[in-house]
Amino acid sequence: MLDYLLAEKNFTALKQYVDFLRELPKALEEINRFSDGMARAGHTLLSPPNAPALIQVALANAQCWGAIGITVPLLGNTSARILHDMSSFISEFQAIVSVAQNRRLPISVIDPQQFTVVRSADWGSAPCADVIDVLRELDARLGYCQHAVSDFKAQVTNLAESIHGIFVRFIESLTMPLCSCDGPIPKIEAYYVLGRVGLPGMGYDPGQWYSEEQRQAFARAHVGQLFNLHRRAGVAASNLGDFCFRWVYMLDEARRTLQTHHSNQTMARAKASLPLITDSLSEVDAMSRQLVQMAEVL
């Protein structure tokens, strides 16, 4: 149901956006040289693209994208491991509380050493004096996963803010007039026709011979491509943000159910609450597997 939120095209669009900004500084240098020459020639220029801000956001986004590349496989595998332990515990716990003669007994009588996860090397020095300790530790592990997803969402949010902030203003600036003293020629057409400047990643070599009409056509087409990139990258960031929001929400649902268990709770009541955890975690498990698969593509 949520496959579209973590589709490969989302990561592709964000990578294209990051790559474009990473390759942009050279073109910005050419734009600045061209603008300085026009100013010396007596033209009253309108504000050119904000090169320092674009370069700064390009560096920040490159670091952010690198962090996402590390986070995706780590988060997917960590979440899958935690969910495996949870599934094992819930299955064994359900078998114990489903025994008819145990219905009225409190869950505090359950020996925690019956659980595979407690006997595993991964349990380490975590407390396990009673079953409540086990439930609290599993809750804490889900909380760790929740924080990791929130960190991933923060990285995506940083990209989204630059997409809808500095990047869209850069594109819009290219469509504004170059100066106030001549006709309303868009900056990008002046850059392409007069300045022999080209934007990166467009398959366009400004050093080759083109007619003025061809350069104007390239300029208009490339602005259209930038607006399309802005749209796709913005949608991608929004989808990944929604994916993370849903993930955190389902983890929170499972944690709240775990936290309702207490020492005096009867096994009958515990049995009734288990399906609530299973339902939440089954969706989380699917999302974790999606992330692991996506890590193989990145």
Side-chain angles (χ1 to χ4, degrees), residues 198-212:
L199 296 175
M202 301 291 182
Y204 168 73
D205 181 2
Q208 290 188 19
W209 185 91
Y210 296 106
S211 68
E212 180 176 336

Side-chain angles (χ1 to χ4, degrees), residues 7-9 11-12 72 290-298:
E8 183 178 347
K9 66 180 181 180
F11 288 93
T12 299
V72 166
Q290 278 184 270
L291 206 62
V292 171
Q293 292 171 2
M294 188 54 58
E296 298 173 357
V297 175
L298 291 178

Side-chain angles (χ1 to χ4, degrees), residues 171-193:
I171 302 171
E172 290 171 347
S173 77
L174 296 177
T175 66
M176 302 297 289
L178 176 68
C179 65
S180 60
C181 48
D182 291 328
I185 301 173
K187 288 189 183 73
I188 191 167
E189 290 188 25
Y191 297 154
Y192 273 50
V193 175

Side-chain angles (χ1 to χ4, degrees), residues 148-160:
V149 176
S150 295
D151 288 343
F152 176 45
K153 186 175 187 295
Q155 294 162 1
V156 173
T157 299
N158 288 337
L159 285 176

Side-chain angles (χ1 to χ4, degrees), residues 2-195:
L2 298 173
D3 288 358
Y4 74 96
L5 295 178
L6 201 71
E8 183 178 347
K9 66 180 181 180
N10 292 327
F11 288 93
T12 299
L14 290 177
K15 184 178 186 303
Q16 289 174 345
Y17 159 70
V18 171
D19 286 345
F20 175 82
L21 283 186
R22 185 187 289 124
E23 298 169 6
L24 188 59
K26 185 177 179 181
L28 292 173
E29 290 178 6
E30 295 297 325
I31 287 173
N32 285 338
R33 276 195 285 270
F34 170 72
S35 298
D36 290 344
M38 294 292 286
R40 286 194 298 271
H43 292 269
T44 304
L45 299 182
L46 300 180
S47 298
N50 190 337
L54 286 163
I55 292 172
Q56 183 178 4
V57 80
L59 292 172
N61 282 348
Q63 292 176 344
C64 191
W65 182 252
I68 286 175
I70 295 171
T71 299
V72 166
L74 182 62
L75 176 56
N77 287 302
T78 299
S79 177
R81 185 170 63 252
I82 292 172
L83 290 172
H84 176 270
D85 289 343
M86 285 293 306
S87 176
S88 170
F89 170 81
I90 290 173
S91 177
E92 293 167 350
F93 189 77
Q94 193 162 25
I96 294 169
V97 300
S98 295
V99 176
Q101 55 266 37
N102 291 344
R103 291 185 71 256
R104 297 183 182 279
L105 294 176
I107 62 173
S108 58
V109 305
I110 298 174
D111 179 6
Q113 293 300 321
Q114 295 183 69
F115 300 108
T116 303
V117 65
V118 173
R119 300 193 304 271
S120 70
D122 289 339
W123 193 257
S125 60
C128 56
D130 55 36
V131 73
I132 299 301
D133 279 344
V134 180
L135 289 167
R136 286 173 179 162
E137 174 63 20
L138 293 174
D139 173 48
R141 294 186 181 191
L142 289 178
Y144 171 79
C145 184
Q146 204 171 15
H147 286 303
V149 176
S150 295
D151 288 343
F152 176 45
K153 186 175 187 295
Q155 294 162 1
V156 173
T157 299
N158 288 337
L159 285 176
E161 288 175 350
S162 64
I163 291 167
H164 297 302
I166 188 70
F167 185 55
V168 73
R169 288 199 298 272
F170 163 67
I171 302 171
E172 290 171 347
S173 77
L174 296 177
T175 66
M176 302 297 289
L178 176 68
C179 65
S180 60
C181 48
D182 291 328
I185 301 173
K187 288 189 183 73
I188 191 167
E189 290 188 25
Y191 297 154
Y192 273 50
V193 175
L194 302 176

